[in-house]
Amino acid sequence: MTTLVKNGTVVTASDRYEADIFIDKGVVSLIGQGLNLPADEVVDASGKLVMPGGIDVHTHLDMPFGGTNSADDFETGTIAAAHGGTTTIIDFAIQNFGEGLYPAFEGWMKKAEGKAVIDYAFHMIVRELTDQVSHDMDKMARHEGVTSFKLFMAYPGVFQVDDATIFRALLKTKENGGLICMHAENGGVIDTLVKDALRKGHTAPKYHALTRPTRAEGEATGRAIALSEMAGVPIYIVHLSCSDALEKVKQARDQGLPAYAETCPQYLFLSYEDYERPGFEGAKYVMSPPLREKWNQDALWKGLAKNDLQVVSTDHCPFCMNEPPQKQLGQGDFSKIPNGAPGIETRLMLLWDGGVRAGHIDPHRFVEIVSTNPAKMFGLWPKKGTVAVGSDGDLVLFDADKRSVLSASTHHMRVDYNPYEGREVTGGPAVVLSRGEVIVDHGTLRGKPGRGQFVKRQGGRPLVP
Ligand code: URP
Ligand code: ZN
Ligand code: ZN
């Protein structure tokens, strides 16, 4: 199978030029001007920006959580991702208590097999660090291409681990070249505040945010970085939401420590006011960390522009409001609202419109934070994350003038609301290719479920400054 992409403007993290791209058996084999080779498919990219496909390193598909399962599985979730210009995801496989990492890894491989439309990889969530798990971390990193592990400093009884466990896991990555991804919120403080709020009869969704202060995220972020410094390894903070936590990352990086962090569109475009919506509507925005006061958004944009934040992922973890009633599990008790929100489809559109067009970042930084850095951070580069000879033919033909209105009535995510309902955005994918195959063509899905492949990742230090 060969594909020729003609007359596009290639935009990577570093370059911009007019070129044609020839893809042979899924891999870019030639980039040049005026290429006239015969190909099985010729795609016209005139007037489009040709960028590497988006890489979303934080998704939760088909995940048991909060007494239910996230609403998108690997079929619906990756179809939605593809429509939004994302061609690779890294999802989280969850270790079960009392087991090693292999049952979880195999379980998540089964969830994805025959369903995924785009390529996928896994991080492993570690809930307890037994000798078996410790041994499996090495095997995962060295043999399975699962080179990152998420630990939680919050959700006591479900995911939370103590500092000794975190420190031991960090030391493990020194040996096996893995990377620890940290959910940094102080679970003990939050748990106390939650119990106190419920005792006072404060049950509405907004109390989710009011019991998870920015200090609880800042403290945990600082502690996580300090632990990684003592272990002598890099650390990656996931879904960073506020200035308080960003300051800790900034301080560490100013000292030359290999501290990295991602934020997500919801923290750049939504805010605490969304919890004040009437009735139970605030439940749509119940996620952890919660949405913050609006002023934090400026700090996050600056963090992205100055490379104190290196990645924007989605933390896509959708739960329906009513059909089926998943968020409703928390009627009368905000602590029972399943935590998470949808976003796998809207990341590139939002970041182009609200990031590039709004003047916070330029198109090259856009490519860097949605594709190149995610690939370099998590061992996918240069196979993924750039447009180059030898890289996979994962491309987004991006129409900078395309106008869309984000809405549950038109999105492809299997969830009955869109957190950005009614928001108009300019800029979006016209054609999406995965390994040279057109998978989305002007809004029409062409990629078949099951074509997505598991990607084994490299270990080692992140290749991001
Ligand atoms: O609320 C969230 N973020 N749900 C997904 C689980 C997690 O902590 O990433
Ligand atoms: Zn988390
Ligand atoms: Zn998450």
Side-chain angles (χ1 to χ4, degrees):
M1 160 88 184
T2 52
T3 310
L4 181 61
V5 178
K6 291 278 299 172
N7 303 319
T9 302
V10 177
V11 177
T12 67
S14 55
D15 299 306
R16 180 189 178 105
Y17 53 91
E18 312 296 312
D20 303 335
I21 301 170
F22 188 73
I23 305 160
D24 189 4
K25 296 187 201 75
V27 175
V28 174
S29 64
L30 202 56
I31 300 177
Q33 290 180 337
L35 296 185
N36 270 320
L37 290 87
D40 297 317
E41 174 146 22
V42 178
V43 183
D44 178 24
S46 13
K48 308 290 185 299
L49 305 176
V50 181
M51 307 182 197
I55 300 175
D56 188 349
V57 297
H58 192 148
T59 67
H60 301 279
L61 300 178
D62 200 359
M63 178 177 83
F65 193 44
T68 182
N69 251 53
S70 59
D72 271 314
D73 64 12
F74 276 82
E75 182 167 330
T76 59
T78 59
I79 287 172
H83 278 283
T86 288
T87 51
T88 308
I89 56 165
I90 310 184
D91 203 82
F92 291 87
I94 306 177
Q95 178 223 345
N96 285 320
F97 287 117
E99 293 181 353
L101 299 183
Y102 272 83
F105 175 54
E106 285 152 11
W108 256 260
M109 287 290 264
K110 279 208 189 82
K111 284 175 192 266
E113 240 171 60
K115 289 198 161 188
V117 169
I118 59 172
D119 291 350
Y120 54 94
F122 297 117
H123 314 275
M124 195 62 69
I125 290 177
V126 173
R127 303 166 93 179
E128 54 182 355
L129 194 56
T130 58
D131 288 348
Q132 169 81 62
V133 171
S134 196
H135 182 64
D136 284 357
M137 279 177 79
D138 289 344
K139 281 172 75 178
M140 285 288 150
R142 291 185 182 133
H143 306 302
E144 310 298 351
V146 175
T147 51
S148 44
F149 306 91
K150 184 177 178 186
L151 301 180
F152 287 77
M153 301 168 94
Y155 300 120
V158 183
F159 289 132
Q160 188 169 329
V161 289
D162 62 14
D163 288 354
T165 304
I166 294 169
F167 189 58
R168 286 193 295 121
L170 286 161
L171 288 172
K172 260 276 116 198
T173 62
K174 196 173 197 165
E175 294 164 27
N176 62 31
L179 177 65
I180 297 295
C181 303
M182 189 62 74
H183 179 127
E185 287 186 293
N186 185 317
V189 167
I190 290 165
D191 200 41
T192 306
L193 293 175
V194 168
K195 285 185 177 131
D196 198 42
L198 290 172
R199 212 175 299 121
K200 290 179 180 146
H202 296 158
T203 59
K206 70 175 181 184
Y207 290 101
H208 172 76
L210 295 173
T211 54
R212 301 182 96 93
T214 58
R215 274 286 184 278
E217 188 181 344
E219 184 280 326
T221 302
R223 181 159 38 104
I225 293 171
L227 292 168
S228 71
E229 181 184 5
M230 288 186 275
V233 294
I235 192 160
Y236 180 84
I237 308 295
V238 297
H239 47 43
L240 186 147
S241 73
C242 60
S243 167
D244 216 321
L246 178 58
E247 282 304 313
K248 304 288 186 208
V249 176
K250 226 193 288 190
Q251 277 167 21
R253 291 176 62 81
D254 287 349
Q255 289 166 29
L257 292 172
Y260 303 96
E262 64 178 22
T263 189
C264 311
Q266 51 269 35
Y267 304 119
L268 295 165
F269 297 106
L270 303 171
S271 63
Y272 172 77
E273 287 85 79
D274 289 299
Y275 295 113
E276 302 271 8
R277 289 173 184 247
F280 193 59
E281 215 190 325
K284 292 176 178 172
Y285 304 94
V286 167
M287 64 190 78
S288 297
L291 302 178
R292 304 303 193 181
E293 288 175 24
K294 215 172 173 52
W295 64 267
N296 286 279
Q297 294 172 359
D298 285 341
L300 296 180
W301 281 116
K302 280 197 192 105
L304 282 169
K306 295 189 166 167
N307 203 41
D308 286 317
L309 296 168
Q310 299 78 35
V311 171
V312 176
S313 69
T314 63
D315 194 9
H316 177 75
C317 189
F319 297 103
C320 293
M321 283 293 278
N322 300 306
E323 291 168 31
Q326 297 184 298
K327 290 280 188 183
Q328 302 293 344
L329 293 168
Q331 277 282 9
D333 180 349
F334 69 89
S335 72
K336 295 201 166 60
I337 301 170
N339 281 208
I344 203 167
E345 188 170 352
T346 46
R347 181 177 63 131
L348 269 59
M349 287 182 274
L350 283 165
L351 282 177
W352 185 270
D353 185 69
V356 178
R357 284 174 55 85
H360 293 296
I361 50 173
D362 71 17
H364 304 287
R365 183 64 179 158
F366 169 84
V367 171
E368 201 158 46
I369 62 181
V370 303
S371 181
T372 311
N373 278 353
K376 289 184 170 179
M377 186 70 64
F378 289 103
L380 290 165
W381 188 86
K383 179 179 168 65
K384 310 274 189 197
T386 191
V387 181
V389 170
S391 297
D392 283 356
D394 294 357
L395 303 174
V396 181
L397 278 45
F398 198 84
D399 179 350
D401 301 318
K402 178 178 165 183
R403 294 171 84 147
S404 332
V405 176
L406 306 182
S407 171
S409 62
T410 49
H411 73 205
H412 300 83
M413 300 178 284
R414 191 166 62 186
V415 60
D416 61 356
Y417 76 96
N418 188 308
Y420 308 95
E421 186 66 39
R423 187 185 175 110
E424 192 177 317
V425 288
T426 300
V431 180
V432 182
L433 291 89
S434 164
R435 284 178 279 104
E437 183 185 342
V438 174
I439 55 169
V440 174
D441 190 354
H442 295 93
T444 301
L445 181 73
R446 282 178 49 189
K448 295 268 178 293
R451 65 162 302 285
Q453 293 177 359
F454 172 68
V455 189
K456 276 191 166 188
R457 296 182 287 123
Q458 311 276 321
R461 233 179 144 88
L463 300 171
V464 177

